[in-house]
């Protein structure tokens, strides 16, 4: 009997989702959250790549205590393949470093930009999640990344300055595309109550003034272990796996995995949007 070639089951084809982690103000804990959230997903057997797109201020490599040879900057300069710039971090977490002093990705000529993103599209199906650690605020670059991603996590602290800046991001993004899914993570709250109140107020204001629904993914307490892990250049989840903040980040990742998958096009859709929208 002739052997029938088995078609791959649709469900077994891995879809790569792109998640942007952003904030209004800088210094709210976005990079530490992105890194440890990614490691929490790895603990849940997901294949994850962090793409450090805080261009000019990239520091995921610093948090990992690594000095990558190749970065986005050298990839473009030397015409490298995506595979050449992907580094393997702890527990199989993959990362791409932004490189220092590189901040003009979108000012490159269109052909180079297209080549760069086409090269990235080779990751389709190879990882479950690409996590973008974006810069803070409303720069043109940030907006492009946010608008192209499948999901957006907005990190804020309970401080009014952080909240008003986060709100400005919601307003701007919502004005450009009301269908962007945004979820809040409240970082550095001094109590669960403070975190909850911050999230409730934020959601209420967004709903009342913009008609925008924003979900809450969770709360991460202020925890001295985080700056300690930064000084050790070892991610919190590995340096202090039993700390309250590590537990909170794991819980946020658990919530995230429970979310319904939005109907989006994944990595291919992300690339089409970032290039042509
Ligand atoms: N939950 C937390 N508790 C205490 N300190 C934190 C917490 N989250 C972040 N930090 C500290 O805040 C600073 C900024 O964190 P970082 O992740 O670099 O922020 P961002 O990427 O938003 O600029 C770091 O010094 C970090 O140690
Ligand atoms: Mg950062």
């Amino acid at each position: 009997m002739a052997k029938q070639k088995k078609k791959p089951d649709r469900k077994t084809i891995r879809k790569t989702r792109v998640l942007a982690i952003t904030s209004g103000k800088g210094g709210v804990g976005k990079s530490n959250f992105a890194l440890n959230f990614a490691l929490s997903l790895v603990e849940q057997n997901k294949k994850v790549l962090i793409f450090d797109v805080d261009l000019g201020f990239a520091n995921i490599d610093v948090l990992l205590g690594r000095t990558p040879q190749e970065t986005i900057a050298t990839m473009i300069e030397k015409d490298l393949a995506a595979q050449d710039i992907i580094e393997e971090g702890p527990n199989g977490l993959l990362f791409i470093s932004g490189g220092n002093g590189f901040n003009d990705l979108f000012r490159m000529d269109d052909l180079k930009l297209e080549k760069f993103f086409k090269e990235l599209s080779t990751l389709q199906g190879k990882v479950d999640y690409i996590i973008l650690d974006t810069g803070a605020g409303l720069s043109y670059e940030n907006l492009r990344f946010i608008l192209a991603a499948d999901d957006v996590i907005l990190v804020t602290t309970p401080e009014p300055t952080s909240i008003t800046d986060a709100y400005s991001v919601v307003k701007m993004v919502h004005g450009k595309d009301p269908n962007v899914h945004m979820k809040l993570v409240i970082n550095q709250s001094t109590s669960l109550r403070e975190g909850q109140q911050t999230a409730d107020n934020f959601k209420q204001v967004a709903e009342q003034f913009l008609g925008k629904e924003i979900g809450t993914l969770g709360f991460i307490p202020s925890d001295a272990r985080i700056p300690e892990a930064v000084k050790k250049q070892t991610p919190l989840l590995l340096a202090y796996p039993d700390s309250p903040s590590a537990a909170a980040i794991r819980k946020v990742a658990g919530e995230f995995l429970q979310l319904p998958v939005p109907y989006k096009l994944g990595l291919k859709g992300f690339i089409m949007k970032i290039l042509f929208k």
Side-chain angles (χ1 to χ4, degrees), residues 30-31 54 59 133:
K30 191 167 16 76
S31 296
D54 189 356
N59 55 17
D133 180 18

Side-chain angles (χ1 to χ4, degrees), residues 17 28 72 83 129 135-136 153 164 168 234 238:
R17 263 167 89 181
V28 298
I72 304 175
Q83 290 305 327
Y129 295 98
I153 293 183
T164 49
S168 300
T234 306
L238 308 176

Side-chain angles (χ1 to χ4, degrees), residues 2-46:
K3 239 189 185 172
Q4 281 222 324
K5 208 171 175 193
K6 226 177 150 188
K7 269 195 185 163
D9 180 351
R10 271 186 75 84
K11 280 188 191 143
T12 60
I13 300 175
R14 217 199 285 252
K15 184 128 204 178
T16 300
R17 263 167 89 181
V18 182
L19 165 67
I21 297 186
T22 195
S23 68
K25 204 163 94 68
V28 298
K30 191 167 16 76
S31 296
N32 276 280
F33 171 75
L35 177 60
N36 290 290
F37 175 81
L39 284 167
S40 304
L41 294 177
V42 170
E43 285 180 354
Q44 301 289 321
N45 296 319
K46 303 293 179 196

